[in-house]
Structures are given as C-alpha cells and as structure tokens.
Amino acid sequence: YLESYHYRKQQSWKMNGESMNLLALIRQYDFSEAYAVLIPSVPGYHSLSIDDFGYLKLRKAIIEWVCNQQSNADSRKSSSNAKPPLVCQYSSVGSLTTAWLDLFTAALDSTSTSAVDPVEYYHEVTKKAKSRAKGKKGVDLSERMKIVWPTVDEIRTTIEGYNGGGSVPGRTKNVAQSFLLPLYHRWTKRGNDFGGRTDNVDPLRTARNVPHIKTYVQPSTHVIGDTPSIEWMV
C-alpha cells in the first residue's frame, strides 16, 4: 500500500540507532498474526493489479474469508430467500452512476459465485452493467443497496451544528440524483428527540455527532440459533 505512493523520504524514525523512512520501519514488524484485512484505496488508474486496491481488493477478501468458508456453515438456517442488500454509510458523495453502482454491488455480493477471479469478474460484470444501464428501464438498485446519509436537520442538530456539514461533503447535483433517492436511509432513528433526551432511543448518542466515517456491511439471510448474523463488514 505505501509502496504505491512511492514514499521514500527519510524521516526521524529510528530502530537500533538506524534512521529509516516509514516504509522501512513498518517492514521491521510482523503482521502475520493480525486478525484483519487491510483494504487500501489508492488514487489513480490501475490496470495490472486492480484487485490490490479498492472494492476489487474487498471482493478478493470476501471470496477468501467469506465465500470459501461458507461450506462450514451447515449449522446456519436461512431466514429468507432474498439476497441481502449492501448497506453503505459514508461521508461524501461523488458523481455516481447506476452502471457503476450496479457493478459495485454485484462485486461485493457474498452470495455470488465465489470461484470467479476478481479481475476476470470485473471485466465480465462491467460488460453486463453497461448493457443493463443502456436498457430503457434502467437498473433497480432499491433491493440491492441501502445508503445511510444524514439529512440537513440531522447535521443542524449535531454538536457542531451546520459547521459539521463540512465533514460530510456532497454537492446537490450529486446527492439529489433521482436514482439515489430511493436508496437513502436516515443517520439517526426516526422520531429521535433532539432536545437532549435520547438515552432510550440512542444510548450511544450517535445523533449528536457528525457521521464522518465509512462503514460497509452485508447482512446475512442466515441466523445462528436465534441470532441474526452478517456476512462481512468494513
């Protein structure tokens, strides 16, 4: 990840009296036992290793850590025949298109075929997404994707007030695209008491803070015992 930035500047980090840059310092540590998967996002266009970054890297991790381990899920029972949606909560909205969102949701769906190589899958699904986007009816994403995005009033009533909106950038022309409107869900629980008495409905008081965070999760149609589960979360 750091190598992709070509970061070589010498800094004041030292180990055993030797000065080194950040990349060399990190290499001194063993992360083999880390219980996490890093999903780096690097600006630019990537043609040779497109599954090393971004959502294709996430798809590769889903194939390895979710799809390939579902064979051991015999103890789980399905609560629904419908595919679980992808729930996205993020703090900025760019210029999205239905074709790209179609590709994005399809790539991260853990119920899709797990044997497909992420790069081959990318090229295959890109063609299908573009073909569907050209259709007269367009692409219906309402059952496949849920977007958590704060309302103006939710920003206004946070601790920072309207100033907190600077942490949630989104131009009107991007946020108000017609195909996105059915996908939006509120940041806070509907009916929240913004007068301060929120302990019962919002014990963590998330409604009082600007949601400058990115969270992606796919709920599961399976339950373990009586407990609902998720397929993966970032």
Side-chain angles (χ1 to χ4, degrees), residues 154 157-160 187-189 192-212:
E154 286 174 329
T157 53
T158 61
I159 296 174
E160 298 178 64
W187 164 246
T188 63
K189 184 175 181 180
N192 226 345
D193 180 0
F194 291 105
R197 299 180 298 278
T198 63
D199 293 341
N200 291 332
V201 295
D202 186 18
L204 298 180
R205 304 182 74 81
T206 55
R208 305 297 293 168
N209 298 280
V210 177
H212 186 61

Side-chain angles (χ1 to χ4, degrees), residues 144-162:
R144 297 166 54 197
M145 185 179 194
K146 312 295 182 184
I147 299 176
V148 178
W149 184 259
T151 64
V152 173
D153 196 54
E154 286 174 329
I155 294 295
R156 179 184 64 81
T157 53
T158 61
I159 296 174
E160 298 178 64
Y162 282 126

Side-chain angles (χ1 to χ4, degrees), residues 75-193:
S75 61
R76 305 190 308 174
K77 58 182 180 180
S78 177
S79 60
S80 172
N81 292 324
K83 285 190 174 185
L86 178 64
V87 181
C88 307
Q89 183 277 307
Y90 42 77
S91 57
S92 62
V93 174
S95 181
L96 299 172
T97 65
T98 53
W100 190 88
L101 287 179
D102 185 23
L103 174 63
F104 180 71
T105 54
L108 301 185
D109 181 11
S110 63
T111 65
S112 62
T113 305
S114 60
V116 181
D117 177 83
V119 177
E120 294 179 0
Y121 181 89
Y122 170 78
H123 294 298
E124 175 187 343
V125 177
T126 297
K127 293 180 181 179
K128 292 181 179 179
K130 289 181 178 179
S131 176
R132 284 193 293 266
K134 292 179 180 179
K136 294 182 180 180
K137 295 183 179 179
V139 179
D140 183 10
L141 297 167
S142 60
E143 298 300 321
R144 297 166 54 197
M145 185 179 194
K146 312 295 182 184
I147 299 176
V148 178
W149 184 259
T151 64
V152 173
D153 196 54
E154 286 174 329
I155 294 295
R156 179 184 64 81
T157 53
T158 61
I159 296 174
E160 298 178 64
Y162 282 126
N163 289 334
S167 298
V168 193
R171 294 184 177 183
T172 300
K173 68 175 184 178
N174 294 334
V175 175
Q177 294 192 82
S178 59
F179 67 88
L180 289 176
L181 299 182
L183 310 182
Y184 286 132
H185 293 260
R186 296 170 62 95
W187 164 246
T188 63
K189 184 175 181 180
R190 189 178 294 276
N192 226 345
D193 180 0

